[in-house]
């Protein structure tokens, strides 16, 4: 974790917040494309090459955004001063479809009501 802290130390808090909010939305959009379009298309055209290529590309993009979300979660915890419960909730939100949008809208605020 020290490596991740050192890596993000050269960026401003505003830049990290901007990246975190963007990655939350991007992860949710890629999840939608993967689950609702690519997998349904693959189900209806299981023999076609195009749905297979599309699901591979969207799957890789989603994996990239998922990893980026998990990496940006560490500096976001320090910026937003999350306690352990909030951090675990944000971590688990990465594994549920579209839950990162909720993290972006509700948990990633400075003046949250407790």
């Amino acid at each position: 974790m020290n490596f991740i802290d050192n890596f993000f130390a050269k960026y401003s808090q505003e830049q990290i917040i901007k990246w975190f909010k963007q990655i939350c939305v991007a992860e949710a959009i890629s999840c939608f494309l993967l689950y609702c379009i690519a997998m349904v298309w693959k189900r209806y055209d299981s023999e076609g090459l195009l749905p297979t290529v599309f699901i591979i590309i969207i799957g890789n993009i989603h994996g990239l955004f998922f990893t980026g979300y998990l990496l940006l979660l560490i500096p976001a915890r320090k910026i937003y001063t999350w306690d352990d419960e909030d951090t675990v909730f944000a971590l688990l939100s990465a594994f549920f479809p579209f839950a990162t949008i909720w993290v972006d809208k509700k948990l990633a605020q400075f003046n949250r009501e407790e």
Side-chain angles (χ1 to χ4, degrees):
M1 289 246 242
N2 209 7
F3 168 75
I4 296 171
D5 291 335
N6 291 338
F7 178 78
F8 286 111
K10 58 187 168 187
Y11 300 106
S12 67
Q13 286 187 353
E14 292 81 20
Q15 187 66 39
I16 294 172
I17 290 169
K18 179 182 170 188
W19 288 341
F20 184 71
K21 290 184 175 288
Q22 288 174 346
I23 205 81
C24 285
V25 174
E27 199 273 337
I29 291 171
S30 68
C31 184
F32 173 77
L33 289 174
L34 184 63
Y35 293 161
C36 299
I37 295 177
M39 292 178 119
V40 172
W41 188 13
K42 182 66 178 167
R43 171 72 69 183
Y44 285 111
D45 188 15
S46 61
E47 299 296 323
L49 179 63
L50 198 56
T52 304
V53 170
F54 186 73
I55 203 166
I56 289 170
I57 291 170
I58 295 299
N60 286 330
I61 291 170
H62 177 69
L64 179 71
F65 290 147
F66 177 82
T67 305
Y69 175 81
L70 293 179
L71 287 175
L72 283 170
L73 197 64
I74 296 165
R77 174 192 172 139
K78 292 180 182 179
I79 292 171
Y80 292 115
T81 61
W82 291 340
D83 58 359
D84 291 340
E85 182 180 321
D86 291 336
T87 305
V88 168
F89 186 78
L91 178 66
L92 291 177
S93 295
F95 296 97
F96 293 97
F98 314 114
T100 57
I101 294 289
W102 188 90
V103 170
D104 175 34
K105 298 298 179 194
K106 300 293 182 188
L107 198 58
Q109 297 176 358
F110 285 109
N111 298 324
R112 290 188 303 138
E113 294 181 13
E114 299 298 323

